[in-house]
Amino acid sequence: MSRKETQKPGRVLLLPIDSIEPSPYQARTAFDEPEIAALAVSILQNGLLQPVSVRRVGLRKYQLVAGERRLRACRLAKLEKIPAILADYDDSESAALGLLENLQRSQLDPFDTARGIKEVIRLWGCTQAEAARRLGLSQPALANKLRLLTLTPEQQQLCAAHHLTERHARAVLRLPESRRTAALEKIVQEQMSVRQADKLVDAMLAAPKGPGPCRKTIPMVRDVRFFVNTLQHAVDLMTQKGIAATTSCDRKDGCLEYIVRIPVGRDGRPVTGAAAAEAGAPGGGAPQDPAAQLPLHSVTVPAAAPGGPAADGEEDFAIQLL
């Protein structure tokens, strides 16, 4: 048989194992080493029962299409040549067949599956609906697998390291990204089932949000007269309670100075009218309102020192209205 005949697609060839390179489209990123070792022992005892699939990529050079685990086991068993089926596939077909073999033969990590599906969609240049049909999946199932890739690499690693299922991962996708890691850690810590994980996510979504940042409201005083009247109203309330409070109001240096004097005893408490009279406190009375002549405008109200020294036993409160 001629060399040309032996190179026809579909034929089984006995190829040097060193002439076969791994597939660049391998979806699986983690391999079970004990499983590979057990397969190597079986191959040594019984031979490779099913050939790997390869495609030609150069002179006496081949690229693996399907059979990564078998190729690894044969290398571990130190075989020099292995049987291989020669296939005539392009990049997209090679990637799809490798993914299908993994899906059919051994359960892939859900994230490896999602990455493999994403790659074949890119190579095929097709829609999700067409990819689902060609891969034998429903479109919702394919879309759900691709959604897993919205988890961060760290979150994906957390799921894979603790063997969380696809449904565990999909449960936390309902949470905002900033809360997913905490949910995954709790699921791992408490070894939750899928149902328990769903309940945890429901509880996290139903929990009330923390209070928002407090906002200080700064009122705008648009009329000085309103501010002065408010102060005078407070003084009037004190006089109604028998406290001989007095007020004075004057213009000084472009400011309106408003002073409130409240007689107090030695204990610091306000004294009533009779006691205030005995102490020589001045009489009450409302001042004239210079603010009544001011135009309506916004004002700034800084604290200011009173115009003069206070009498004994009195405390002064001065407000300057610019």
Side-chain angles (χ1 to χ4, degrees), residues 109-111 114-115 118 144-160 164-185 187 201:
D109 174 285
F111 302 103
R115 283 187 286 269
K118 184 177 179 180
N144 282 334
K145 293 180 185 299
L146 291 177
R147 284 182 62 232
L148 298 178
L149 298 180
T150 60
L151 293 176
T152 65
E154 293 76 15
Q155 291 165 351
Q156 294 179 28
Q157 179 60 34
L158 181 60
C159 291
L164 297 184
T165 67
E166 178 181 334
R167 291 180 61 193
H168 282 104
R170 282 165 47 194
V172 301
L173 284 175
R174 294 191 286 134
L175 292 168
E177 182 178 340
S178 60
R179 306 179 69 188
R180 292 172 184 172
T181 298
L184 287 171
E185 289 175 346
I187 290 170
V201 171

Side-chain angles (χ1 to χ4, degrees), residues 102-113:
N102 277 312
L103 290 173
Q104 293 169 359
R105 291 184 175 274
S106 183
Q107 183 62 41
L108 272 179
D109 174 285
F111 302 103
D112 284 343
T113 301

